[in-house]
């Protein structure tokens, strides 16, 4: 399963992959090759482009500020102190770029607009590049384990950046006359000769060396190292190899500065998108985990009920054996055993329906009927400590107006709410589910004005304080002990309600309980819910003389029941314990009208057997049967439109399925095709 924690789900904590390392190396090598190619021509004079500086500085400013915002988001999750140094570096860049642009001669005014002197712009350039490096050096030496509070940390970072930028601006303007001369008439060779430019470059080399030690610590460390490579290319071409404003080195250096500013921005955006996809995949996996958790919640109660049913069936069969000479009493005990088996089958089908992994299937339903049908499993989830009360959900209150939703998703949401209510009452209590028709008179946020069916789940448990309530529907947020839940329950409920275009409202008071309201919008008048299909028992119809069924099932008792039922219906029956044994019959001379095969068997499954059987006998009719359903059957290759009989089945259903096959059954032999 994908890991989702505060360390690996952020750029400052995720270790770089081999793909990251290779790409970063490629960018760094490309920068080195470019510098090597341009350096010999760096002092070639080019024409002055007045708009270049404002455009270049604006682009760099935007990239740096957006990068700072993304770094702040990273810090909000990880709270690493060292991350504040990088955040301060990019905030400092943003502040100093504004000052540098306003001071540049010819950008907005012949001598700049902030005062100072002839040396101001050049010194702001050096301060800009040195200050950025100093912050990155601080990042490299601060221990990774140090964490700081969110608000104070952000204020500290922004304050440090603003303070240093202000000091640099004051020194370069007010203190202009005390600074050494580093530029003369646009020529800044003096800055090289006096060691200012080489000194700034040396700082960059030192910062790169410090970052090199941590290049495998995180994706952020790796890309900061690449940023330093591009930054050094800027200083080399623009201030060391180049010698004059608007020569080739000047322009090329600014291009590398823009690359340095954009590298981390691009990598952050790419990683954010990648992490969003990772979170989406993890949410899906954890959603399945939540489904398994809720099934686990049901397991104890279901086991209890099945044990009771088995007691009834075992006792019934024992009494039948003892009362073999008293037919009326035998029939009575047989009826009790059959009823117990039917109840077990119904419970199994409800579990399969809840656990199904099919795609969402929107249906027009009566919500009260869905709640009533799901009531037994809800009671199983509550256990014996809590009681369940349904209000306005029974047939005595009449049908509610229809809504469109996925019944399985609604049942999952309802079960999540009931389990949460139960957990909120450790000493037991009552959970109330109320279903009613309501009218919302005016729009309130995402709850639009209109008619709704409102499903309310109430408990009198521990409740939530306002701070917890505000985060209740956030994914992965939970107040339960570690390992007791994924924190996806209410998040999944909220997602379900949004899928219906409805709204979710939660009311809770600490110590007084919680009420969760699901507002499900009504459909337009005249749309009726799908009628529940109730199939009346069909009279058993016997087979025509000579019709033969090949029964394939690896479970001998189940196979024996099918064989006995088919013989009672007048069919001639062949039986096989495996697909391989069945193929022997199909290759033989026996006339066979229909293949009745279980799907899930060792070796070749029933769907694969059906394909081979149709190859051998193209006119053969096939009926598949299984206790599984939905996507689980699709995994075995069972087509959606294949004749299918779910287990357990009654002889009436078996008879009806066989008689529904068209055209009428007639015996087929190997290689024979339908006419």
């Amino acid at each position: 399963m994908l890991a989702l924690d505060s360390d690996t789900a952020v750029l400052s904590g995720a270790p770089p992959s081999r793909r990251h390392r290779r790409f970063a190396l490629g960018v760094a090598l490309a920068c080195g090759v470019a510098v090597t190619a341009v350096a010999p021509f760096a002092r070639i004079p080019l024409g002055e482009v007045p708009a270049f500086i404002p455009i270049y500085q604006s682009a760099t400013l935007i990239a740096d500020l957006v990068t700072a915002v993304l770094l702040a988001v990273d810090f909000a999750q990880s709270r690493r102190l060292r991350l504040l140094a990088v955040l301060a570096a990019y905030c400092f860049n943003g502040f100093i770029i504004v000052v540098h642009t306003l001071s540049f001669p010819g950008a907005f005014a012949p001598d700049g607009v902030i005062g100072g002197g002839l040396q101001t712009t050049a010194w702001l350039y050096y301060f800009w590049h040195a200050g950025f490096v100093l912050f990155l050096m601080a990042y490299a030496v601060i221990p990774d384990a140090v964490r700081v509070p969110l608000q104070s940390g952000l204020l500290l970072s922004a304050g440090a950046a603003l303070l240093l930028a202000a000091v640099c601006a004051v020194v370069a303007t007010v203190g202009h006359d005390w600074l050494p001369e580093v530029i003369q008439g646009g020529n800044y060779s003096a800055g090289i000769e006096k060691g200012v430019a080489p000194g700034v470059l040396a700082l960059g080399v030192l910062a790169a060396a410090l970052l090199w030690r941590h290049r495998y610590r995180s994706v952020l460390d790796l890309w900061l190292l690449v940023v330093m490579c591009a930054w050094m290319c800027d200083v080399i071409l623009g201030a060391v190899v180049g010698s004059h404003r608007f020569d080739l080195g000047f322009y090329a250096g600014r291009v590398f500065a823009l690359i340095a500013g954009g590298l981390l921005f691009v990598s952050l955006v790419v990683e954010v998108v990648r992490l969003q996809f990772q979170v989406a995949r993890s949410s899906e996996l954890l959603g399945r985990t939540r489904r398994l958790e809720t099934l686990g919640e049901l397991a104890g109660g279901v086991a209890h009920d099945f044990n009771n049913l088995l007691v009834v069936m075992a006792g019934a069969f024992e009494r039948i054996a003892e009362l073999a000479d008293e037919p009326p009493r035998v029939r009575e005990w047989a009826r009790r055993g059959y009823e117990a088996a039917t109840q077990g089958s119904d419970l199994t089908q409800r579990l399969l329906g809840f656990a199904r992994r099919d795609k969402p299937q929107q249906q027009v339903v009566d919500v009260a009927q869905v709640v009533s049908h799901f009531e037994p499993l809800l009671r199983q989830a509550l256990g014996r400590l809590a009681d369940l009360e349904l209000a306005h959900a029974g047939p005595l209150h009449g049908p509610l107006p229809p809504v469109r939703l996925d019944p399985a998703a609604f049942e999952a949401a309802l079960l999540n709410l009931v389990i949460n209510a139960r957990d909120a009452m450790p000493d037991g209590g009552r959970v109330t589910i109320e279903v009613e028709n309501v009218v919302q008179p005016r729009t309130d946020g995402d709850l639009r004005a209109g008619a709704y069916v409102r499903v309310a789940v109430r408990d009198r448990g521990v409740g939530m304080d306002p701070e917890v309530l505000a985060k209740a529907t956030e994914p992965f947020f939970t107040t339960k002990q570690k390992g007791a839940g994924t924190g996806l329950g209410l998040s999944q409920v909220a997602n379900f309600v949004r899928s219906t275009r409805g709204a979710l409202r939660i009311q809770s008071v600490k110590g007084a309980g919680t009420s969760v309201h699901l507002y499900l919008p009504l459909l337009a008048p005249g749309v009726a819910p799908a009628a529940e299909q109730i199939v009346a028992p069909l009279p058993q119809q016997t087979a025509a003389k000579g019709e033969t069924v090949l029964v394939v099932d690896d479970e001998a008792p189940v196979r024996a029941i099918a064989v006995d039922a088919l013989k009672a219906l007048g069919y001639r029956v062949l039986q096989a314990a495996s697909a391989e044994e069945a193929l022997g019959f199909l290759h033989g001379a026996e006339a066979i009208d229909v293949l009745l095969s279980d799907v899930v068997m060792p070796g070749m499954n029933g769907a694969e057997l059906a394909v081979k059987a149709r190859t051998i006998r193209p006119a053969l009719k096939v009926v598949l049967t299984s206790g599984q359903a939905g996507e689980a059957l699709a995994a075995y290759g069972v087509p959606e439109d294949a004749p299918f009989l779910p287990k357990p089945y009654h002889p009436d259903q078996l008879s009806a399925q066989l008689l529904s096959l068209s055209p009428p059954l007639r015996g087929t032999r190997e290689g024979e095709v339908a006419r």
Side-chain angles (χ1 to χ4, degrees):
M1 181 177 291
L2 296 171
L4 275 178
D5 55 59
S6 59
D7 286 333
T8 61
V10 290
L11 203 66
S12 61
S17 63
R18 180 175 296 180
R19 177 179 59 84
H20 286 122
R21 296 196 295 270
R22 287 178 176 175
F23 188 65
L25 177 61
V27 174
L29 289 176
C31 290
V33 170
V35 169
T36 303
V38 173
F41 312 100
R43 299 195 177 191
I44 296 177
L46 299 176
E48 179 178 348
V49 181
F52 175 77
I53 289 296
I55 293 173
Y56 147 72
Q57 302 276 58
S58 298
T60 306
L61 174 64
I62 292 172
D64 286 341
L65 292 183
V66 174
T67 301
V69 171
L70 294 174
L71 288 168
V73 173
D74 192 315
F75 171 73
Q77 185 167 346
S78 66
R79 310 293 173 90
R80 289 181 169 89
L81 176 61
R82 64 182 175 88
L83 194 58
L84 290 178
V86 187
L87 177 58
Y90 280 88
C91 288
F92 170 77
N93 273 4
F95 296 142
I96 202 72
I97 283 172
V98 173
V99 179
H100 181 268
T101 304
L102 294 176
S103 73
F104 200 92
F108 297 102
D111 297 321
V113 297
I114 64 169
L118 298 176
Q119 309 297 313
T120 296
T121 302
W123 273 106
L124 284 173
Y125 173 86
Y126 291 129
F127 289 156
W128 169 10
H129 287 70
F132 179 75
V133 172
L134 290 174
F135 280 119
L136 292 192
M137 291 173 66
Y139 168 83
V141 299
I142 295 174
D144 181 62
V146 181
R147 301 292 195 270
V148 293
L150 176 61
Q151 186 173 0
S152 59
L154 292 176
L155 290 175
L156 173 65
S157 179
L162 182 59
L163 177 62
L164 183 59
V167 170
C168 292
V170 170
V171 171
T173 53
V174 178
H176 170 270
D177 295 336
W178 291 283
L179 294 173
E181 188 178 67
V182 291
I183 187 169
Q184 297 173 344
N187 188 316
Y188 40 83
S189 297
I192 302 173
E193 295 169 357
K194 295 179 180 180
V196 178
V200 173
L201 180 61
L203 273 180
V205 173
L206 178 59
L210 293 174
L211 290 169
W212 176 263
R213 298 185 307 158
H214 305 298
R215 63 191 182 280
Y216 297 139
R217 181 170 60 180
S218 70
V219 177
L220 180 62
D221 287 273
L222 180 66
W223 281 109
L224 285 177
L225 182 59
V226 179
V227 166
M228 284 308 306
C229 291
W231 178 93
M232 286 187 288
C233 293
D234 169 22
V235 176
I236 290 171
L237 292 176
V240 176
V241 178
S243 63
H244 202 281
R245 282 178 181 161
F246 307 114
D247 62 12
L248 179 60
F250 174 88
Y251 285 111
R254 269 59 184 179
V255 171
F256 275 103
L258 186 58
I259 292 174
L263 270 175
L264 190 58
F265 163 67
V266 173
S267 63
L268 281 167
V269 171
V270 170
E271 289 303 312
V272 165
V273 173
R274 183 185 65 82
L275 288 172
Q276 283 181 335
F277 280 111
Q278 178 177 320
V279 168
R281 291 196 301 269
S282 298
S283 297
E284 180 182 354
L285 292 173
L286 287 171
R288 295 179 184 176
T289 301
R290 176 64 182 176
R291 178 64 62 88
L292 292 175
E293 285 182 355
T294 52
L295 285 174
E297 298 282 355
L298 297 173
V302 169
H304 175 267
D305 273 7
F306 265 114
N307 281 334
N308 288 340
L309 295 174
L310 290 173
V311 168
V312 174
M313 289 192 295
F317 292 136
E318 184 178 358
R319 294 298 292 159
I320 287 172
E322 294 174 353
L323 302 171
D325 296 331
E326 302 181 43
R329 298 186 66 184
V330 168
R331 284 193 294 271
E332 174 63 20
W333 282 104
R335 181 187 62 78
R336 294 181 184 179
Y338 177 74
E339 289 177 350
T342 303
Q343 292 173 18
S345 174
D346 290 343
L347 185 56
T348 301
Q349 293 304 317
R350 290 194 185 101
L351 281 172
L352 288 174
F354 174 75
R356 69 179 177 86
R357 295 171 293 169
D358 300 348
K359 295 179 180 179
Q361 297 179 351
Q362 297 281 338
Q363 299 177 19
V364 179
V365 300
D366 181 334
V367 173
Q369 290 183 358
V370 178
V371 174
S372 296
H373 177 76
F374 200 52
E375 178 185 357
L377 285 185
L378 295 175
R379 293 191 182 277
Q380 296 292 349
L382 286 176
R384 297 188 176 185
L385 285 179
D387 185 30
L388 178 66
E389 177 185 357
L390 299 185
H392 303 291
L396 293 178
H397 299 279
L400 287 171
V403 301
R404 185 183 298 278
L405 49 76
D406 177 11
F410 173 61
E411 290 173 352
L414 204 58
L415 186 56
N416 278 325
L417 294 177
V418 167
I419 290 175
N420 283 346
R422 181 204 64 189
D423 293 344
M425 301 184 296
D427 298 326
R430 173 172 294 180
V431 178
T432 301
I433 300 177
E434 183 177 297
V435 185
E436 60 181 338
N437 188 25
V438 299
V439 175
Q440 176 67 19
R442 57 183 177 275
T443 298
D444 177 18
D446 61 342
L447 180 57
R448 292 169 291 185
Y452 295 86
V453 169
R454 183 176 65 189
V455 181
V457 180
R458 299 187 177 92
D459 67 71
R460 296 183 179 179
V462 295
M464 295 179 280
D465 57 39
E467 182 178 355
V468 172
L469 183 59
K471 300 179 180 180
T473 59
E474 293 181 7
F476 315 118
F477 176 78
T478 179
T479 57
K480 298 179 181 179
Q481 294 181 353
K482 188 174 182 179
T486 60
L488 285 172
L490 281 176
S491 173
Q492 288 185 324
V493 173
N495 288 337
F496 160 73
V497 174
R498 280 193 291 269
S499 74
T500 68
R501 299 181 181 273
L504 177 69
R505 292 292 183 268
I506 306 176
Q507 300 170 354
S508 187
V509 177
K510 187 71 173 178
T514 301
S515 180
V516 182
H517 295 169
L518 283 62
Y519 286 84
L520 309 175
L522 301 184
L523 292 178
V527 181
E532 186 176 356
Q533 296 183 353
I534 302 176
V535 181
L538 298 173
Q540 294 184 7
Q541 302 182 46
T542 58
K545 184 177 180 181
E547 291 180 345
T548 303
V549 178
L550 173 58
V551 178
V552 187
D553 200 304
D554 60 308
E555 294 287 344
V558 177
R559 190 171 67 249
I561 292 292
V563 169
D564 187 67
L566 288 167
K567 287 181 177 179
L569 293 171
Y571 290 96
R572 179 173 172 268
V573 183
L574 303 174
Q575 56 178 307
S578 66
E580 290 74 17
E581 185 179 351
L583 289 175
F585 283 109
L586 293 168
H587 282 296
E590 294 275 5
I592 301 174
D593 297 284
V594 63
L595 170 68
L596 175 65
S597 176
D598 186 26
V599 173
V600 183
M601 297 185 294
M604 185 187 302
N605 66 52
E608 295 168 336
L609 171 62
V611 173
K612 289 185 177 292
R614 286 282 181 81
T615 303
I616 300 168
R617 302 191 182 205
L620 182 69
K621 301 301 177 182
V622 177
V623 176
L624 298 176
T625 180
S626 177
Q628 297 192 19
E631 191 176 292
L633 284 180
Y636 289 98
V638 178
E640 291 184 3
D641 58 349
F644 181 76
L645 190 61
K647 291 180 179 179
Y649 50 79
H650 191 273
D652 296 337
Q653 297 169 310
L654 177 59
S655 172
Q657 181 68 67
L658 294 178
L659 292 172
S660 69
L661 298 176
S662 179
L665 301 179
R666 53 178 298 277
T668 66
R669 291 177 172 80
E670 182 175 5
E672 187 174 7
V673 298
R675 296 172 185 168

